Amino acid sequence: MDKSDRAFNYDLDYRNLDLRQQPELYRVGKGEMGVLLVRPYKDEILPYWRFKTPEIARESSEKIYSLFLDYKAKGDFVGMDMARKFLQMGYTRSRRYANHRTGQKYKGAVPDDKKGQSGAHGREQLPLDEDPVKAESARIFYAKYVQAREDPEYKTLRKDWQEKYG
């Protein structure tokens, strides 16, 4: 299986696709790929995904991790991976807001003379504006994300899934 077979497939019609019924179509991809697409998992997990304050982040990450454990108990790798992705996204989004209070990392649109350049797509990165509350939310989500990512059964299932499907 080449690497393109392992990439998350953005060409599927996720609005009309139930990946619990057709799990073989799921691809792990990289990081958080597809986290807001894969149903029914997105619909089951997204309502609990919050990070505004450390208290909210703690409650959210614990609920999402409990969903991870429920999927694990059912032998549902796709659900486990989606819960892991939401935990990772809780970390990355709260970290972005910890670094940039507006959540905006780059200044303005891409200038015409910078289009096609690598990196920040030719945009200037805004200065850091540390928010310690969001930084704590990020730490809370990161701990649960690592707990899910390093779960021995999850790691085995992920390796097997990627070898079989991508």
Side-chain angles (χ1 to χ4, degrees), residues 49-111:
W49 183 71
R50 303 283 180 267
F51 56 88
K52 188 172 184 171
T53 67
E55 295 76 24
I56 291 169
R58 188 168 292 105
E59 183 180 326
S60 174
S61 65
E62 287 173 3
K63 176 60 180 175
I64 293 169
Y65 186 73
S66 77
L67 291 170
F68 172 88
L69 295 175
D70 290 346
Y71 294 129
K72 178 180 171 178
K74 295 173 185 166
D76 184 345
F77 170 73
V78 178
M80 291 173 73
D81 198 49
M82 288 297 294
R84 187 260 322 152
K85 287 181 182 199
F86 269 95
L87 292 168
Q88 183 175 2
M89 188 170 65
Y91 163 65
T92 59
R93 294 310 183 280
S94 52
R95 190 68 247 163
R96 178 187 295 163
Y97 281 91
N99 291 340
H100 305 280
R101 289 178 194 265
T102 65
Q104 189 173 348
K105 187 175 180 178
Y106 299 105
K107 190 184 277 186
V110 180

Side-chain angles (χ1 to χ4, degrees), residues 21-155:
Q21 300 303 314
Q22 294 181 282
E24 70 280 359
L25 296 176
Y26 179 74
R27 300 295 177 267
V28 173
K30 266 181 99 173
E32 304 162 19
M33 288 181 141
V35 70
L36 295 175
L37 295 174
V38 177
R39 292 179 183 203
Y41 305 100
K42 174 199 115 173
D43 301 325
E44 295 168 358
I45 303 168
L46 183 60
Y48 302 107
W49 183 71
R50 303 283 180 267
F51 56 88
K52 188 172 184 171
T53 67
E55 295 76 24
I56 291 169
R58 188 168 292 105
E59 183 180 326
S60 174
S61 65
E62 287 173 3
K63 176 60 180 175
I64 293 169
Y65 186 73
S66 77
L67 291 170
F68 172 88
L69 295 175
D70 290 346
Y71 294 129
K72 178 180 171 178
K74 295 173 185 166
D76 184 345
F77 170 73
V78 178
M80 291 173 73
D81 198 49
M82 288 297 294
R84 187 260 322 152
K85 287 181 182 199
F86 269 95
L87 292 168
Q88 183 175 2
M89 188 170 65
Y91 163 65
T92 59
R93 294 310 183 280
S94 52
R95 190 68 247 163
R96 178 187 295 163
Y97 281 91
N99 291 340
H100 305 280
R101 289 178 194 265
T102 65
Q104 189 173 348
K105 187 175 180 178
Y106 299 105
K107 190 184 277 186
V110 180
D112 286 337
D113 64 335
K114 301 289 186 180
K115 287 187 177 171
Q117 291 186 1
S118 61
H121 306 289
R123 294 180 293 170
E124 180 184 341
Q125 188 166 333
L126 294 168
L128 292 181
D129 182 19
E130 180 76 17
D131 180 340
V133 172
K134 293 295 185 303
E136 180 62 20
S137 293
R139 282 188 286 278
I140 290 164
F141 263 100
Y142 186 75
K144 285 296 182 192
Y145 159 64
V146 169
Q147 196 174 353
R149 183 191 72 194
E150 297 303 315
D151 179 279
E153 187 175 339
Y154 169 77
K155 288 169 77 171

